[in-house]
Amino acid sequence: MHRLSLIVSEIYNKFLPLAENGKVQLSLDFPDTTQEIDDPETLKADLEQHLNSALSRSKGGKVTVTVRKNQIIITDTGTVLSKPICNLMSNARIQVKSRIGFGTTVVINLASTKNPE
């Protein structure tokens, strides 16, 4: 088991300079730092991909990473994606939704980060 807070903090700190350079406000909401997961590499890859994507699209907006019991939610207020793009970015573990006036939300389900047996 791996502590989720260490993984999320590492990724957050990696992308913070990119956010500051792009004038994007990056924030982290992580109330339970004791949570653990089984597959850190898969989660790191997904989190890096979607956080990088959100920061690349957002110009002067706000990106928030929220960690809940079974989910990591990346909210990007700076962009809106079409429904076909959201569908392409979504899979069994990741859901992407976007609305005009609200931005884009990516939900990574942690319950599905275990390796299939």
Side-chain angles (χ1 to χ4, degrees):
M1 297 294 280
H2 300 271
R3 183 153 294 180
L4 181 60
S5 63
L6 296 175
I7 296 162
V8 173
S9 294
E10 175 187 331
I11 304 299
Y12 176 82
N13 289 325
K14 177 180 178 178
F15 284 94
L16 191 56
L18 178 66
E20 290 171 349
N21 287 341
K23 308 236 184 295
V24 176
Q25 181 184 350
L26 179 61
S27 61
L28 179 62
D29 178 14
F30 201 149
D32 178 11
T33 59
T34 63
Q35 190 173 347
E36 294 187 339
I37 60 166
D38 291 333
D39 187 2
E41 295 308 315
T42 299
L43 178 62
K44 273 185 187 182
D46 288 339
L47 187 53
E48 282 187 357
Q49 174 190 352
H50 289 287
L51 189 53
N52 186 47
S53 179
L55 290 171
S56 297
R57 291 187 315 260
S58 188
K59 301 297 179 219
K62 180 178 180 180
V63 175
T64 304
V65 179
T66 305
V67 181
R68 295 292 176 247
K69 183 174 172 104
N70 292 317
Q71 297 178 325
I72 294 177
I73 304 162
I74 302 170
T75 307
D76 167 16
T77 62
T79 60
V80 177
L81 301 175
S82 68
K83 190 169 185 165
I85 296 294
C86 289
N87 289 338
L88 285 171
M89 294 175 69
S90 298
N91 60 41
R93 197 165 56 88
I94 299 170
Q95 291 77 47
V96 180
K97 295 182 181 180
S98 197
R99 278 182 43 196
I100 295 173
F102 293 93
T104 301
T105 301
V106 176
V107 178
I108 302 171
N109 292 302
L110 299 176
S112 301
T113 60
K114 296 179 181 176
N115 288 326
E117 301 189 14

